[in-house]
Amino acid sequence: MEGPDGSGKSTQISELKEYLNDKGYDVLLTREPGGTDIGEQIRKIILDVNNSHLSYMAETLLYAASRAQHVEEKIKPALEAGKVVICDRFIDSSLVYQGYARKLGIELVESINQFALMGIQPDITFFFDIKPEEAMDRKQNQKALDRLEKENISFHHLVYEGYKILLDRYPKRIRRIDASQSIDEVKSQILGEIDRFLKEEGLK
Ligand code: TYD
């Protein structure tokens, strides 16, 4: 699940988990950065507002380190056990935030992450499409902002643009969801895509 901060991902993640559970699937729900004890420690360093001097490259490598731990400790074993894995953010966040918005280059960040991924790629990625201003408005009503959320609006515009680039680059894997709609409408878009995907794969 990918999208700008405040796009309503968390609500939809719980809905999707419930839907898949009802169909009989065992689901692992997880998130990045974090997802493991070590990953959560790395997450604190990355999102700490006191770490404003963290270099962009160090930031990229920390996200990749958290991801490496996550893939090896949780995601791979879950897939091997036949579970469905739903992850709140994954490699595309690094490609967009560090590769595009921080301007390190999508290709460079992709190659750094090859080490972390151990051959794992999402089967399907949902991009929650919502204008940065609207997402920021929603977020600001919720809680204290972390280090990345405190970035100015032009950064969030770059993030949005970055996701659009990835959509063009991976049209089969990444599905656009209109996240400006109501919770029920967003849910039915996602479940529609999931049903189509399961059917294509010969699953129920
Ligand atoms: P978090 O609070 O988990 O995200 P959300 O806003 O989805 O609730 O914060 C994670 C932040 O880290 C978010 O601003 C996106 C950013 N991020 C990256 O820059 N690169 C990455 O690889 C990942 C996974 C997240």
Side-chain angles (χ1 to χ4, degrees):
M1 299 290 205
E2 293 280 350
D5 301 331
S7 60
K9 279 180 300 174
S10 319
T11 311
Q12 298 298 335
I13 286 171
S14 323
E15 295 282 353
L16 178 57
K17 179 180 190 293
E18 206 178 302
Y19 183 72
L20 290 169
N21 282 151
D22 288 347
K23 275 181 170 280
Y25 290 102
D26 203 350
V27 176
L28 168 71
L29 203 60
T30 186
R31 71 160 182 187
E32 290 201 352
T36 62
D37 285 348
I38 290 171
E40 292 295 332
Q41 292 174 51
I42 297 173
R43 178 188 171 90
K44 284 203 184 96
I45 299 173
I46 302 174
L47 299 181
D48 189 340
V49 286
N50 296 316
N51 288 340
S52 55
H53 54 298
L54 183 66
S55 81
Y56 292 169
M57 189 49 95
E59 178 183 284
T60 304
L61 292 167
L62 285 172
Y63 279 116
S66 163
R67 183 161 300 127
Q69 186 70 30
H70 193 202
V71 167
E72 185 163 339
E73 190 182 320
K74 275 184 97 175
I75 297 181
K76 259 201 151 187
L79 293 174
E80 279 161 12
K83 294 183 186 172
V84 174
V85 178
I86 304 177
C87 195
D88 185 351
R89 298 190 179 279
F90 199 58
I91 172 130
D92 294 331
S93 284
S94 283
L95 301 182
V96 166
Y97 282 75
Q98 284 67 51
Y100 190 75
R102 298 292 202 209
K103 301 190 167 58
L104 293 180
I106 291 177
E107 285 71 23
L108 174 78
V109 175
E110 202 157 33
S111 69
I112 286 171
N113 274 273
Q114 288 314 316
F115 294 108
L117 289 180
M118 295 171 70
I120 299 282
Q121 272 293 341
D123 290 305
I124 181 164
T125 301
F126 291 108
F127 165 57
F128 285 63
D129 188 346
I130 184 168
K131 293 267 169 337
E133 287 81 2
E134 200 181 326
M136 289 288 280
D137 276 356
R138 288 191 190 177
K139 199 83 192 178
Q140 248 133 22
N141 296 332
Q142 280 176 23
K143 57 163 190 168
L145 301 181
D146 66 40
R147 200 174 56 82
L148 273 93
E149 287 159 359
K150 276 179 184 288
E151 288 287 346
N152 62 28
I153 190 74
S154 61
F155 178 78
H156 293 284
H157 275 288
L158 284 176
V159 167
Y160 187 66
E161 247 175 67
Y163 277 117
K164 291 285 164 93
I165 291 170
L166 290 192
L167 264 176
D168 284 343
R169 206 175 274 201
Y170 303 108
K172 191 167 171 352
R173 175 172 66 82
I174 308 182
R175 321 275 165 110
R176 194 189 80 88
I177 296 297
D178 181 355
S180 66
Q181 296 193 339
S182 71
I183 291 178
D184 280 348
E185 280 159 341
V186 173
K187 180 177 166 186
S188 77
Q189 289 178 61
I190 292 175
L191 300 188
E193 291 284 356
I194 287 289
D195 283 342
R196 211 165 306 136
F197 174 80
L198 292 174
K199 208 168 159 205
E200 277 164 22
E201 298 290 312
L203 301 164
K204 63 174 177 57

